[in-house]
């Protein structure tokens, strides 16, 4: 199993609205993807900004490629993210889950 980790941040006034967007749009999208195993979506407030950390778990590298595209290191964004995110981190991190 492979873990894929993404980070994003919002203004404080967008913190709860972005949370709702994630619940209504992003999570169902991940869940319907073949080879998706599970996710943890974490949020916190730091330095007066909303921080979001997404850890998704996938069956294998091929499944991630089917989800993310040829360049699996590149972060995948929704068009709506432009309304909320303060910056667009270009890459995600991957880790093999061993325990």
């Amino acid at each position: 199993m492979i873990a894929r980790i993404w980070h994003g941040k919002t203004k404080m006034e967008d913190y709860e609205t972005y949370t709702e967007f994630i619940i209504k749009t992003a999570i169902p999208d991940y869940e319907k993807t073949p080879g998706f195993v599970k996710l943890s979506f974490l949020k916190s407030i730091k330095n007066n900004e909303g921080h979001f950390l997404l850890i998704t778990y996938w069956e294998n590298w091929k499944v991630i490629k089917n989800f993310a595209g040829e360049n699996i290191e590149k972060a995948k964004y929704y068009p709506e993210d432009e309304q909320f995110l303060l910056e667009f981190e270009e890459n995600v991190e991957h880790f093999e889950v061993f325990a």
Side-chain angles (χ1 to χ4, degrees):
M1 184 165 45
I2 309 298
R4 179 178 168 92
I5 303 172
W6 169 86
H7 170 261
K9 63 182 177 178
T10 65
K11 296 178 187 175
M12 281 305 303
E13 57 264 28
D14 293 329
Y15 186 67
E16 292 303 329
T17 306
Y18 193 62
T19 299
E20 288 302 315
F21 166 74
I22 288 167
I23 292 168
K24 291 179 182 174
T25 304
I27 291 174
D29 189 41
Y30 282 99
E31 291 176 337
K32 72 179 183 185
T33 304
F36 168 82
V37 176
K38 64 181 178 176
L39 64 75
S40 296
F41 227 133
L42 313 170
K43 66 179 186 172
S44 67
I45 298 170
K46 296 178 192 169
N47 301 321
N48 207 33
E49 295 175 329
H51 288 259
F52 295 84
L53 186 67
L54 171 63
I55 306 170
T56 52
Y57 298 89
W58 304 88
E59 290 177 358
N60 55 49
W61 294 106
K62 182 180 177 187
V63 168
I64 294 173
K65 195 176 201 178
N66 290 340
F67 168 76
E70 194 65 34
N71 182 359
I72 64 169
E73 300 300 322
K74 187 173 177 170
K76 183 175 177 178
Y77 290 99
Y78 294 91
E80 296 90 341
D81 286 332
E82 292 184 24
Q83 301 171 42
F84 304 111
L85 296 175
L86 294 175
E87 57 190 40
F88 291 82
E89 295 180 9
E90 188 173 336
N91 294 317
V92 297
E93 294 186 86
H94 294 96
F95 293 86
E96 291 185 32
V97 179
F98 68 94

